[in-house]
Amino acid sequence: MAQSFEFLFDVAGPNAYLTHRVLPKFCAETGAAAVYVPILLGAVFKATGNRAPMVRYADAPARRDYEMLEFRRFIAANGLVQFKMNPHFPVNSLLVMRAVVAAGRMGLGAEAIEAMMAAMWEQGAKLDEPDICRAALEGAGLDGAAIMALAGEEGVKAELVANTDAAVARGVFGVPTFFVGGDMFWGKERLPQLAGALAA
């Protein structure tokens, strides 16, 4: 049984949020730990020519509608009743993801990720605004001012860029993406395949 897997994510991706919510059960069932790797989804899209489904299938409404049907089915199947589409979507996640990296450097990565995921996809916060981002951190009991200050430092910015560049180099084109060793799995629908790889 593999002991861990990488979970490449961006808070701005609704499917990353849904995955984040089901990972505790998944990890309990597989006995594996999720290693969260923050990346910048917008930069990944730009580098790979990918686009969000609602944009990618704009000229294929039947495909777009089916994607949304599957999205709603996943939410219902997993009882993710707190999810609501962010009214400001798409939100530029540069600030949020820098804050996540900064919090990780302070040993508060898990807490910051939870705070940002909840703020984005349960509270409808416009997290590209610094004051709102800081308030979301503080609402979770974190030192929002300290995290936001560190998020502006060059080392944090460089770490997020390096994570993103490395992801693209490994073939990542969207989130959620998982790695077991060098094997890549994309999409929350691939969790059963991921479980199989972890058990192999």
Side-chain angles (χ1 to χ4, degrees):
M1 176 74 70
Q3 296 301 306
S4 67
F5 61 94
E6 295 172 83
F7 168 41
L8 280 64
F9 75 99
D10 183 320
V11 170
N15 286 302
Y17 164 85
L18 298 180
T19 301
H20 171 69
R21 281 286 172 257
V22 301
L23 276 186
K25 180 181 178 183
F26 178 86
C27 290
E29 291 174 345
T30 61
V35 178
Y36 280 63
V37 181
I39 63 173
L40 192 61
L41 183 58
V44 169
F45 278 180
K46 184 176 181 180
T48 62
N50 195 14
R51 295 174 294 169
M54 64 184 63
V55 177
R56 188 164 68 249
Y57 302 128
D59 295 327
R63 175 64 188 271
R64 180 199 61 214
D65 292 347
Y66 186 78
E67 288 281 326
M68 292 309 301
L69 175 61
E70 285 295 302
F71 187 81
R72 293 191 298 271
R73 284 174 172 166
F74 187 91
I75 290 171
N78 291 282
L80 303 176
V81 297
Q82 291 181 303
F83 173 84
K84 64 179 181 181
M85 199 66 190
N86 190 297
H88 309 290
F89 183 82
V91 175
N92 185 320
S93 61
L94 180 61
L95 179 65
V96 177
M97 297 312 293
R98 285 175 176 171
V100 165
V101 172
R105 290 189 168 201
M106 297 168 66
L108 298 168
E111 294 86 349
I113 291 166
E114 172 58 28
M116 296 293 93
M117 289 286 194
M120 180 76 79
W121 298 112
E122 295 172 10
Q123 301 158 18
K126 195 174 187 300
L127 292 179
D128 55 355
E129 295 187 7
D131 289 346
I132 294 176
C133 189
R134 184 182 69 249
L137 292 165
E138 292 172 349
L142 302 173
D143 188 339
I147 292 172
M148 297 302 290
L150 184 57
E153 294 190 3
E154 292 304 315
V156 167
K157 295 178 182 179
E159 183 176 339
L160 182 59
V161 170
N163 284 357
T164 304
D165 289 347
V168 171
R170 296 171 81 183
V172 173
F173 53 86
V175 298
T177 296
F178 314 95
F179 282 94
V180 178
D183 293 331
M184 186 177 91
F185 303 85
W186 173 76
K188 62 188 186 300
E189 298 80 11
R190 308 300 182 272
L191 286 170
Q193 294 181 15
L194 178 62
L198 290 165

